[in-house]
Amino acid sequence: MKFKFKIQDYQTEAVEAVVKVFEGQPFNNRVSYLRDLGNQTTPIQTSLLADDLQYVGNNGSGFGNAPIELSDSQLLDNIRALQLDNNIKQSSELSKPFGNTCRCALDIEMETGTGKTYCYIKTMFELNKKYGWSKFIVVVPSIAIREGVKKSFEVMEDHFFEQYNKKARFFVYNSKNLNQLDNFSASKDINVMIINAQAFASSLKEGAKNETARIIYSKQDSFGSRRPIDVIAANRPIIILDEPQKLGGGATQSSIKLFKPLFSLNYSATHKDVHNLVYVLDALDAYQKKLVKKIEVKGFDLRNLRGTDGFVYLSQILLDPKKPPMARLA
């Protein structure tokens, strides 16, 4: 069975909001660097991070995201202009929760059920089309959500190919299959790594308590004595946080810095920490646009309520297998 997706105006607006933040950034899709190949017969320079890229062309080439050439003031001006146009409180400064290599953190507020996964996948294609950026990491709070995101990429593959005439290469990070990181680094195509927080939110001080998470920070014999985190960070990936309010642990936030992201995009209906908010589709907007299901009230019975009382509140939901659900108001 093949799904047909309808292009929604509000989703297009959410995508355009992110793209406009970087207005003035030149297109560049050929930023290469000497990729760390690990222990090889012929020695090759190793441990190159995003801050120390060398632009050479050989069999060890990797292709990372081009740096943002806009100044902080230019980025902030673009963000504030967007916020003004969309009736959002203007930011006073750029938010940089993941260190200086991460130029900004953008919040996209979308009500549950309005297609935020579709939006951030489409955003990847638009950022690639407009600026050439091609390396993305989607961070999710659980394995279940991770599998759902992977399924979304699979289902939407043909839909986006029809729009952009290209496909995104995506994979789920697996500490037992680290060679996928070499493919991620060496490819010039749109590449997406999907990873759940438990796979990296760890500290070397935790010992064997979270061995799987420690692998990403440790030199692996099976990976040419390289640290997976260094191979990933060399690409200057764009980090997409799906439900960031569930990723707020200190270990997770500290670990994300080690990915050396170019910038981060945070998608949620209920942001806990506010960064640079660029798009809002809240519950009221979703209701007015008829994007979410409505609750139908069949009627209610008020007892012992004086005419001078100013409000009522829901005190209990009454469930009965033989009757429809009822609400008790007090």
Side-chain angles (χ1 to χ4, degrees):
M1 180 172 56
K2 185 176 180 179
F3 291 92
K4 295 291 291 183
F5 293 90
K6 180 181 179 181
I7 299 176
Q8 303 280 0
D9 290 341
Y10 72 90
Q11 293 174 332
T12 300
E13 292 168 1
V15 173
E16 289 178 347
V18 174
V19 174
K20 288 179 179 178
V21 167
F22 306 98
E23 197 68 45
Q25 168 76 11
F27 178 87
N28 190 338
N29 67 343
R30 288 293 182 269
V31 178
S32 63
Y33 64 94
L34 182 60
R35 184 161 48 92
D36 180 356
L37 298 180
N39 291 338
Q40 303 287 326
T41 303
T42 302
I44 294 179
Q45 186 172 353
T46 62
S47 301
L48 291 177
L49 300 181
D51 292 334
D52 304 301
L53 301 183
Q54 294 190 16
Y55 304 101
V56 297
N58 58 21
N59 292 333
S61 292
F63 296 89
N65 288 328
I68 297 174
E69 296 190 14
L70 303 178
S71 67
D72 282 1
S73 61
Q74 287 174 311
L75 283 174
L76 185 58
D77 286 345
N78 286 349
I79 291 171
R80 287 172 59 85
L82 268 170
Q83 292 169 332
L84 183 62
D85 290 341
N86 293 287
N87 197 30
I88 300 172
K89 182 179 179 181
Q90 290 183 297
S91 300
S92 59
E93 60 183 3
L94 287 180
S95 178
K96 297 185 177 184
F98 303 123
N100 291 329
T101 60
C102 182
R103 294 293 305 279
C104 60
L106 307 178
D107 289 345
I108 300 89
E109 182 179 325
M110 299 186 70
E111 182 62 17
T112 302
T114 57
K116 60 177 170 40
T117 305
Y118 176 94
C119 281
Y120 64 64
I121 295 176
K122 184 177 177 69
T123 298
M124 296 177 192
F125 281 91
E126 284 294 325
L127 290 173
N128 176 259
K129 177 182 177 181
K130 185 73 181 289
Y131 307 117
W133 292 323
S134 62
K135 302 299 173 68
F136 302 88
I137 297 177
V138 179
V139 180
V140 298
S142 69
I143 293 175
I145 295 178
R146 184 194 71 191
E147 294 306 306
V149 171
K150 177 176 177 287
K151 186 65 176 179
S152 294
F153 272 94
E154 294 171 349
V155 170
M156 299 175 189
E157 187 173 52
D158 290 340
H159 170 70
F160 287 117
F161 182 77
E162 291 173 359
Q163 293 186 58
Y164 298 97
N165 198 33
K166 62 174 59 178
K167 294 184 178 181
R169 300 162 59 101
F170 58 91
F171 69 98
V172 171
Y173 170 81
N174 185 343
S175 60
K176 296 180 181 179
N177 189 10
L178 296 177
N179 288 332
Q180 291 176 315
L181 300 182
D182 279 328
N183 297 331
F184 177 81
S185 300
S187 173
K188 300 177 183 179
D189 301 325
I190 299 175
N191 284 261
V192 186
M193 182 175 79
I194 308 166
I195 187 170
N196 54 292
Q198 297 86 348
F200 67 87
S202 179
S203 167
L204 294 179
K205 296 180 180 180
E206 292 181 358
K209 184 173 67 174
N210 193 352
E211 183 64 28
T212 300
R214 291 181 66 244
I215 289 175
I216 201 170
Y217 304 112
S218 306
K219 292 182 178 180
Q220 303 296 312
D221 292 339
S222 61
F223 197 47
S225 296
R226 293 173 293 174
R227 295 200 317 161
I229 188 65
D230 294 340
V231 175
I232 296 169
N235 295 282
R236 288 196 186 98
I238 294 168
I239 299 287
I240 295 173
L241 304 181
D242 192 330
E243 303 291 350
Q245 77 279 5
K246 299 177 183 178
L247 297 166
T252 303
Q253 299 297 310
S254 297
S255 298
I256 289 176
K257 293 180 181 179
L258 300 178
F259 286 95
K260 295 188 179 294
L262 186 64
F263 58 88
S264 71
L265 303 176
N266 314 301
Y267 288 80
S268 176
T270 54
H271 288 281
K272 181 180 178 181
D273 298 316
V274 179
H275 306 104
N276 298 128
L277 183 62
V278 296
Y279 181 79
V280 175
L281 180 73
D282 59 22
L284 181 58
D285 293 328
Y287 175 80
Q288 291 176 338
K289 295 177 184 290
K290 300 181 180 180
L291 303 175
V292 293
K293 294 181 179 179
K294 302 177 182 178
I295 299 174
E296 182 178 356
V297 179
K298 303 296 289 187
F300 55 88
D301 182 20
L302 295 180
R303 298 180 181 179
N304 300 319
L305 183 66
R306 302 187 305 274
T308 55
D309 289 331
F311 59 88
V312 297
Y313 67 90
L314 177 66
S315 64
Q316 188 179 6
I317 299 293
L318 305 176
L319 301 177
D320 189 315
K322 298 180 181 180
K323 298 179 182 179
M326 299 181 65
R328 175 171 290 157
L329 304 177

